Amino acid sequence: MSKPVEHADLQISGMTCVRCAARVEKALNEISEVSAAVNFATEKARVDFNPQSVNIPDLITAIQHAGYDAHVMRDFAAEKATRAEAYRHERTQFFIALLLTAPLLLQMGLMFAGSHIMIPEWLQWLLATPVQFWIGKRFFSGAWHSLRGGSANMDVLVALGTSAAYLLSCAMLLLHTGKPVYFEASATIITLVLLGKLLEARAKGKASTALEALINLQPRLAHVEREGVMADVPATQVKAGDVFLVRPGESVPVDGVVLEGVSSIDEAMLTGESLPQAKHDGDKVYTATFNQHGLLRCQALAVGAQTQLAAIIRLVEQAQGSKAPIQKLADQISNIFVPAVLLIATVAFIVWWALGSGFEVAIINAVSVLVISCPCALGLATPTAVVVATGRAAHAGILVKDAAALEHAHRLSVLVVDKTGTLTEGKPKVTGLLAASGIEEIYLLQIAASMAQNSTHPLSRALLEYAQAQQVTLIPSGSLSELSGNGLSAEIGGASCLLGSPTFITSKNIALDDEQIAALQKQGKSVIAVARAGALLGIIAFADTLRTSSAGAVARLAEMGIRVVMLSGDNDATAQAIARQSGISEFRSEVLPQNKAAHVQSFKSAGKLVGMVGDGINDAPALAAADVSFAMKSGSDIAIEAADITLMRNDLMGVVDAIDLSRTALKKIRQNLFFAFAYNVLGIPLAALGMLNPVIAGAAMAMSSVSVVSNALLLKRWLPYKPK
């Protein structure tokens, strides 16, 4: 019996660098039956736990013991208000620090300009002390919690560096040595670090604007009809089954189905599709989509957390909180980074002192090493790019489940594509009835539709729609048996009836006109045969229209160096016709749904990274077998969590966009990681060699994280591919 698992999202406060995130993650994972991942960029922890052995207060207590604080994620508006209040507090503290530090900075600037105007040392002490111990209190508190927990983070570096400069200056002042003091260094470093944190917080806020925009799409009011009276109620109070109106120029408040009215609805926010979608009786409408014209009377189907928009928001949050595999490298380095920096600073101090440069020079160079060594850029390099990329993808109708899928998509070499519903519209229509000699077409249709009435196969649905249009009366059927990918058998009017592929019918020793069937199949049509009491009643031809974008998407994928392979349950002639129309040179025909996964596995066995595109239901085993799976949304009939990447617009071009975005995002991540590594590889040796003033080192540290986040924000410029 499997153990129960619950999920919790916790908002973490007090983290200052990636080492803090690693410490929180370790503290949570040390609890029995808990699996946690902490994202420094979003300051969130995603935790899976066994509620029988641990509860949420236990998780929060563990985080508090590690030196941080946490609470269960509230609604977006509440979290935004909390962050805004914290930002205002940080900004106030920064301006106080800047006011106190400005005279010291001015003095330093005048010195560089050749002036020797000096602020009295006692006044320098008076200005620097509140910055060091009041404004800078957070660094000492963070360093204490980190060291108490047996690790070291950025706070340790800042606290040690500024304290060394401050205490050295105090000693110079008290002993009247006449040597320069470095109060401006300690105060300026803290002020610059605060400035960097403010800019970083602002940039990180911009990274999540895509998610905020999705949340803000939710309408506030709904026009609900209850007991014959129309009333405006908050959209959150609409219940499933309620009847509501959507007037022209308004957004749909909840997911529902149209009862009366005709209109066009802009669903771009949900699917990325720019063209409005026509809506009439029986069509589904979705939360936050825009009604352009016409009054619609609808019935609520899904409300609150059950709507498509809510599911999209959950998926985007999940993706933004996940870790890309490439992040592991940065995490491994951060685990040894701060101890290594402390060692380098110590060695630099000893070497400079041993070389006779004096205690003062040795300590200042060690301070420069401590101050410039910021691990934040490493921690932000990957997650900020993931946050921006997944948010941008959601606005293009591409829902990425996690960062791993985003990373792997750029390396795909083979893309396996299902035919029906992926390359084609997935809505086959009856194009011809060819009755056997002595059999009327209406009787052929009646028997076929009567057998199909209890089947969910696309051809069965097409048969029923055609029979309804022809006003055919269906006959009750019994003993229905469905053989996946082959056909149906049932008892109708006391006789055994068969409906299925030509291969299935001939296997029952019933003769068919092979030339007639082959001619239809070469036209790209699907053919089924119908028999009763061992005698052929006739054949029925179906056509499934190729999506208008399929050929262009296949051509674009080929340009990207991706090998496209089509899988189809149709016979070879029909599959070949569809492949030819879509520009695919490689296909597999007569593939049963349960065998598609084996084809995917065969490509993987050849060392290929394989993607699979399907409808998310019949292709589930193949989607699960693929390295990256893409599911067409196909209306609202699939769970959008079914695949690694869900295409809200039923369009193969969405796969092109997803792969292109993956490549663009990975390029940004690599740029960020290179910058973060290069910054430290160059900065630390320069500081150790005495070539960097502590103030310059502090400015460089403050700007490193801002640069990484700003580079990630450039992903907002990414646009979906537009065929020429």
Side-chain angles (χ1 to χ4, degrees), residues 95-254:
F95 281 118
I96 293 173
L98 181 62
L99 184 66
L100 294 170
T101 306
L104 302 175
L105 280 172
L106 179 62
Q107 171 190 270
M108 187 172 64
L110 291 172
M111 287 177 62
F112 282 122
S115 173
H116 295 285
I117 300 175
M118 299 293 293
I119 298 175
E121 292 181 349
W122 65 267
L123 182 55
Q124 293 185 48
W125 171 83
L126 195 62
L127 291 169
T129 299
V131 177
Q132 181 71 24
F133 295 109
W134 175 40
I135 304 297
K137 178 183 176 182
R138 71 187 68 194
F139 301 113
F140 293 96
S141 176
W144 164 248
H145 287 302
S146 179
L147 293 172
R148 188 184 65 177
S151 65
N153 62 4
M154 189 197 80
D155 291 331
V156 173
L157 299 180
V158 175
L160 281 176
T162 58
S163 295
Y166 178 84
L167 293 175
L168 174 64
S169 300
C170 286
M172 299 293 185
L173 177 62
L174 292 173
L175 297 176
H176 304 288
T177 62
K179 294 183 178 180
V181 293
Y182 296 91
F183 288 118
E184 82 281 352
S186 65
T188 302
I189 287 168
I190 289 175
T191 303
L192 287 172
V193 171
L194 292 181
L195 174 61
K197 287 295 180 185
L198 276 178
L199 295 175
E200 179 187 310
R202 187 174 180 179
K204 285 162 66 175
K206 289 181 179 178
S208 61
T209 53
L211 179 61
E212 182 178 354
L214 283 173
I215 291 170
N216 290 338
L217 285 171
Q218 299 177 99
R220 300 288 183 266
L221 289 175
H223 312 302
V224 179
E225 181 182 308
R226 289 176 179 165
E227 298 180 358
V229 178
M230 188 63 61
D232 289 347
V233 302
T236 54
Q237 294 181 12
V238 178
K239 300 176 182 178
D242 279 350
V243 174
F244 62 92
L245 295 182
V246 186
R247 297 165 182 161
E250 293 182 341
S251 294
V252 180
V254 296

Side-chain angles (χ1 to χ4, degrees), residues 19 150-153 156-157 333-346:
R19 286 286 294 149
S151 65
N153 62 4
V156 173
L157 299 180
I333 292 174
S334 69
N335 287 334
I336 60 171
F337 185 83
V338 175
V341 168
L342 293 173
L343 178 61
I344 293 170
T346 303

Side-chain angles (χ1 to χ4, degrees), residues 560-634:
M560 298 169 76
I562 297 173
R563 174 183 168 196
V564 181
V565 181
M566 183 187 81
L567 298 185
S568 173
D570 287 324
N571 62 86
D572 191 75
T574 302
Q576 187 175 37
I578 295 296
R580 183 176 60 253
Q581 293 173 30
S582 56
I584 295 175
S585 58
E586 189 175 354
F587 63 91
R588 308 284 188 273
S589 58
E590 299 184 10
V591 180
L592 298 178
Q594 61 268 31
N595 295 335
K596 289 181 180 179
H599 285 275
V600 171
Q601 196 62 51
S602 68
F603 290 116
K604 292 177 66 175
S605 300
K608 308 294 184 181
L609 197 77
V610 183
M612 170 69 192
V613 192
D615 64 9
I617 304 173
N618 297 332
D619 301 311
L623 290 169
D627 294 298
V628 181
S629 55
F630 302 84
M632 295 284 187
K633 175 179 169 287
S634 301

Side-chain angles (χ1 to χ4, degrees), residues 501-522:
S501 66
T503 303
F504 173 65
I505 297 299
T506 55
S507 70
K508 304 299 182 181
N509 298 317
I510 299 172
L512 299 174
D513 186 338
D514 293 335
E515 290 185 5
Q516 185 184 50
I517 292 172
L520 291 169
Q521 291 173 342
K522 285 180 180 179

